[in-house]
Amino acid sequence: MAKLKSSYFCQHCGAQSLKWVGKCPSCGEWNTFVEEVIQTEEKEDWKSKEAKPNRASKPQLISAIVLSDEHRIPVPDKELQRVLGGGIVPGSLVLIGGEPGIGKSTLMLQIALSMKNLKVLYVSGEESEQQIRMRAERIAAGAFECYVLTETSMQYIFKQIEELEPNLVIIDSIQTLYTAKVESSPGSVSQIRECAAELLRFAKETSTPVFLIGHITKDGMIAGPKVLEHMVDTVLQFEGDRHHIYRILRSMKNRFGSTSEIGIYEMQGGGLREVTNPSEILISQREEALSGITIAATIEGGRPLLIETQALVSSAVYGTPQRSATGFDLRRLSMLLAVLEKRCGFLLGAKDVFLNIAGGIRVEDPAIDLAVVCAILSSNEDVAIASKTCFAAEVGLSGEIRPVNRIDQRVSEAEKLGFESIYISKYNTKGLDKKRYPNIQILEVNKIEQVFGLLF
Ligand code: TYD
Ligand code: MG
């Protein structure tokens, strides 16, 4: 007889408690504890074999460990290949998170269809076979095949996997899975954790890579427990604005590669298309220069990216001036406005300020600061900035222009794209060999007033 035992789990962070509590002691959220029944005995493993040590390992010297020529499975999709750090590692568990409708299922089905010579199993608990077939027709990534299984019971899925022996398993999504070992309903913390643990054991024991799709809650966390993120080898985030066509695949955690990589896709009628030269599409092609538009040389992931910043400054119609920013931190915008007001004497206190980063991309690189400031000043003065000028520097609280990392990469990308001048911090010039960039004028500045004097 199985013994029934119940416990309380925080649905926000996955903390466990023996009795109900109002406030989670771990994450501080209120009213998130839910009782879930957990079965303690009669645990079946994914293949219901009797327990054995998973590896008969003994302590050994690290230098004596033989590196098995870690072969990775190449992915035809170059963006995913790079984000994963150079292909899929056998036996790895990869979690892909993203808001509903962003294109996670599309991406994974596209990957499944494009894997040549590999048996891929796409397990969906969300869509019917017909729906998946229809989507595949739309994507039409080639004449390649993949297996589709619409099922949510973990035990049944493993039975099918045992029969089929796929080389790659994709689960859409982890929140829909259900294992009989735990009594609570699908999508609850203990179900998610148990299903992920079973998949993890399966992946490690058979060296089959598994991709999990995970939903994201309103506040941007992967729904379900944080423990999921600890368990998997790689966490990828698929983000972007649903109303824009660009999507970014970002690596948040990667045991087999760097986390500073991103992949950029364009959502089209026929699926996702890799964007190999992002800078060119993020800068709108315009004939004449307009006021309020500047170009920032940022670095997203490991790649330089030139992004257009647009600002509109106008006299406030109502008493309280409005500040709004798309793709940029609003608090940072307020700070930059305060710097302009206090240190440089621009009276923006009674003005509405709107800021927009083109392409629906969210920028966190502080090197965009100077471009933002110049876009605001350009709109305020109604003087256009030459379209072949770009900026790469952070702005400090006293109005000083601060250096940013990897300046040579930024300058070289700007030069490659045909920019004629770039504004950088004076303190950034040390490691920069100007002679290597003959086609771009590098302007060194250290105060906002100085930039203002040079531009207007
Ligand atoms: P989907 O992969 O279902 O999102 P998720 O699994 O993350 O919830 O993507 C759904 C959106 O993508 C949908 O709104 C339509 C759009 N889409 C395209 O624009 N082109 C396409 O070829 C496909 C398949 C979807
Ligand atoms: Mg989906």
Side-chain angles (χ1 to χ4, degrees):
M1 252 296 280
K3 198 171 114 199
L4 285 183
K5 199 182 140 201
S6 76
S7 194
Y8 292 84
F9 289 94
C10 170
Q11 301 294 310
H12 189 249
C13 71
Q16 190 178 2
S17 163
L18 284 178
K19 57 182 196 322
W20 189 85
V21 281
K23 184 185 179 188
C24 174
S26 160
C27 67
E29 286 289 312
W30 288 91
N31 241 338
T32 52
F33 273 82
V34 169
E35 181 176 17
E36 291 178 11
V37 182
I38 43 175
Q39 215 156 17
T40 48
E41 284 169 34
E42 282 191 347
K43 278 214 172 181
E44 275 181 44
D45 211 352
W46 68 272
K47 259 181 173 178
S48 59
K49 289 181 294 196
E50 67 254 36
K52 57 175 168 73
N54 48 7
R55 270 176 237 150
S57 44
K58 291 212 177 71
Q60 51 182 323
L61 286 172
I62 190 161
S63 55
I65 299 173
V66 191
L67 274 184
S68 63
D69 192 22
E70 185 201 283
H71 92 287
R72 292 182 181 237
I73 305 167
V75 194
D77 188 311
K78 289 282 157 297
E79 302 293 304
L80 181 69
Q81 166 103 356
R82 191 180 42 245
V83 173
L84 286 174
I88 307 171
V89 175
S92 62
L93 192 60
V94 180
L95 175 68
I96 298 195
E99 284 174 32
I102 205 78
K104 302 179 294 297
S105 308
T106 309
L107 177 69
M108 287 330 291
L109 187 62
Q110 206 167 318
I111 303 295
L113 288 172
S114 71
M115 300 296 278
K116 267 184 253 176
N117 314 325
L118 278 192
K119 222 193 259 178
V120 185
L121 177 65
Y122 182 90
V123 182
S124 179
E126 303 198 332
E127 284 156 280
S128 68
E129 287 103 344
Q130 280 85 355
Q131 275 175 306
I132 298 170
R133 175 71 208 258
M134 261 160 63
R135 192 193 296 256
E137 295 281 317
R138 252 179 107 175
I139 299 169
F144 305 112
E145 282 290 2
C146 83
Y147 288 88
V148 172
L149 173 68
T150 48
E151 183 53 56
T152 54
S153 155
M154 210 64 250
Q155 277 69 24
Y156 187 74
I157 292 172
F158 279 131
K159 222 171 98 201
Q160 297 301 324
I161 287 179
E162 247 182 283
E163 271 173 34
L164 186 70
E165 295 187 336
N167 308 109
L168 173 67
V169 177
I170 296 171
I171 305 281
D172 186 4
S173 63
I174 181 77
Q175 275 90 2
T176 55
L177 292 189
Y178 173 84
T179 172
K181 277 201 266 169
V182 183
E183 296 260 313
S184 54
S185 56
S188 67
V189 174
S190 43
Q191 276 289 356
I192 292 177
R193 183 159 43 191
E194 193 51 42
C195 291
E198 280 179 36
L199 284 163
L200 182 69
R201 277 196 296 274
F202 159 75
K204 300 293 165 202
E205 279 176 32
T206 60
S207 287
T208 312
V210 178
F211 279 79
L212 303 175
I213 292 180
H215 292 291
I216 272 192
T217 54
K218 285 191 290 301
D219 44 353
M221 275 193 27
I222 292 180
K226 261 263 181 257
V227 284
L228 203 53
E229 288 182 27
H230 297 305
M231 255 189 231
V232 299
D233 298 306
T234 305
V235 180
L236 304 179
Q237 184 122 325
F238 204 39
E239 56 187 44
D241 194 326
R242 241 188 309 162
H243 306 293
H244 284 82
I245 53 171
Y246 298 111
R247 302 280 186 275
I248 296 185
L249 188 65
R250 215 182 271 277
S251 155
M252 317 292 282
K253 164 187 172 180
N254 194 351
R255 287 194 183 136
F256 313 111
S258 124
T259 52
S260 61
E261 284 296 351
I262 62 165
I264 302 185
Y265 294 90
E266 192 180 339
M267 180 61 99
Q268 294 181 336
L272 291 153
R273 191 184 69 85
E274 301 160 33
V275 176
T276 36
N277 193 351
S279 292
E280 274 174 10
I281 44 159
L282 292 176
I283 300 170
S284 56
Q285 308 299 327
R286 56 200 146 90
E287 309 278 275
E288 85 253 63
L290 299 169
S291 73
I293 296 182
T294 54
I295 312 289
T298 65
I299 299 238
E300 273 297 306
R303 280 193 293 176
L305 198 61
L306 276 93
I307 294 183
E308 188 174 299
T309 337
Q310 305 178 335
L312 179 69
V313 179
S314 66
S315 302
V317 186
Y318 305 106
T320 330
Q322 293 187 59
R323 266 85 225 261
S324 122
T326 317
F328 189 73
D329 185 11
L330 191 58
R331 275 172 302 178
R332 189 135 190 108
L333 174 65
S334 308
M335 186 213 95
L336 292 175
L337 290 174
V339 170
L340 284 177
E341 179 111 28
K342 170 115 183 162
R343 304 283 176 195
C344 317
F346 295 102
L347 300 175
L348 298 167
K351 303 272 178 83
D352 287 342
V353 179
F354 305 96
L355 186 75
N356 184 23
I357 309 291
I361 293 219
R362 222 194 137 69
V363 183
E364 249 126 56
D365 184 0
I368 197 174
D369 282 2
L370 189 57
V372 168
V373 164
C374 291
I376 293 168
L377 292 180
S378 160
S379 175
N380 191 41
E381 303 289 315
D382 203 13
V383 175
I385 292 174
S387 58
K388 293 275 175 220
T389 301
C390 63
F391 303 86
E394 191 182 334
V395 174
L397 280 180
S398 58
E400 83 275 20
I401 311 290
R402 300 167 55 101
V404 287
N405 61 359
R406 294 200 258 175
I407 192 73
D408 38 354
Q409 247 180 308
R410 300 174 198 261
V411 175
S412 113
E413 177 79 1
E415 187 190 34
K416 212 163 66 196
L417 290 175
F419 282 86
E420 284 156 9
S421 55
I422 181 167
Y423 285 78
I424 64 167
S425 164
K426 204 172 125 194
Y427 308 104
N428 240 156
T429 46
K430 265 201 211 109
L432 193 68
D433 183 7
K434 280 196 189 177
K435 285 196 236 47
R436 282 178 54 204
Y437 313 104
N439 302 326
I440 188 164
Q441 188 191 7
I442 299 172
L443 297 144
E444 301 151 24
V445 285
N446 66 346
K447 281 264 167 241
I448 288 193
E449 296 91 316
Q450 201 184 344
V451 186
F452 189 77
L454 285 170
L455 281 175
F456 306 108

